[in-house]
Amino acid sequence: MTPGPSDPAEPPEPSAPDDPHPDLLAVLPRLTQLSAAFNKGRLTERAAEAAGLALDRPAMGVLVTLRTADQPLRIGEIADRMQVVGPHVTRQVQALEKRGLVHRVADPHDRRASLIEPTAAGLDAANRYVASLLGWFAEALADWPRRDREDLTRLLTRLADDVTARLARLDAEE
């Protein structure tokens, strides 16, 4: 009897000769799965609701970017860190200013420019949001050994940095 496709004795099919990265092929569905889970599960919206915030994702992105920067930033710096264009951030900053969550301060190195920093209320909102997100991830990873969590952090950081740098090089070449 010839082994069938579902027979465990049959060796796995070799990758197609034109597939130069078979080890990475398994990563693509996982990235798609994570992206879909975050979006379908409304993770950022749930975190905002749990933190008592009525802010959309882009506004939360600006607040979290400012919170993690631990210093005031220019609009362009916020945009770079968020991987978006400046006008998008300008609109979000204006909306956050109206709500009293951020304000502008003078740039000590350039009198013509201003920096954006969270107000006390903005910092409190960002901290509640981050605590909600981190609590969710802590629960999801609760059964993981410490070493696995450390490896995840290290490898995700490396992946994000390398992908961002590669995309920036591609954009610069255009």
Side-chain angles (χ1 to χ4, degrees):
M1 178 173 159
T2 308
S6 62
D7 188 331
E10 181 179 357
E13 283 188 37
S15 61
D18 59 341
D19 182 6
H21 306 288
D23 55 328
L24 295 178
L25 188 58
V27 173
L28 290 178
R30 296 303 182 200
L31 291 174
T32 301
Q33 179 184 5
L34 276 174
S35 177
F38 289 158
N39 288 326
K40 184 178 178 184
R42 298 179 29 254
L43 182 59
T44 55
E45 292 85 353
R46 288 174 194 246
E49 290 169 14
L53 301 171
L55 294 174
D56 61 11
R57 186 184 303 196
M60 284 310 312
V62 170
L63 274 182
V64 170
T65 298
L66 290 168
R67 190 242 181 249
T68 57
D70 289 328
Q71 66 182 5
L73 298 174
R74 289 183 179 196
I75 295 281
E77 292 171 314
I78 297 168
D80 287 346
R81 291 176 186 218
M82 291 179 64
Q83 301 288 302
V84 297
V85 294
H88 172 76
V89 173
T90 299
R91 285 189 300 275
Q92 294 303 321
V93 165
Q94 290 168 343
L96 290 167
E97 280 180 304
K98 288 179 183 174
R99 295 187 67 174
L101 298 173
V102 300
H103 65 234
R104 295 174 191 265
V105 295
D107 184 336
H109 304 292
D110 184 351
R111 291 184 156 185
R112 299 167 295 161
S114 62
L115 302 173
I116 311 302
E117 71 178 1
T119 61
L123 188 57
D124 182 55
N127 285 336
R128 289 192 322 268
Y129 177 79
V130 167
S132 178
L133 273 181
L134 294 181
W136 187 90
F137 279 108
E139 287 178 23
L141 303 176
D143 295 335
W144 288 33
R146 180 183 185 103
R147 175 65 187 202
D148 287 354
R149 292 190 313 266
E150 291 169 352
D151 287 345
L152 174 67
T153 300
R154 179 179 55 79
L155 292 170
L156 276 178
T157 300
R158 184 175 175 186
L159 176 63
D161 290 348
D162 289 351
V163 166
T164 302
R166 180 154 174 79
L167 289 172
R169 284 194 305 271
L170 290 173
D171 286 346
E173 291 172 4
E174 292 178 347

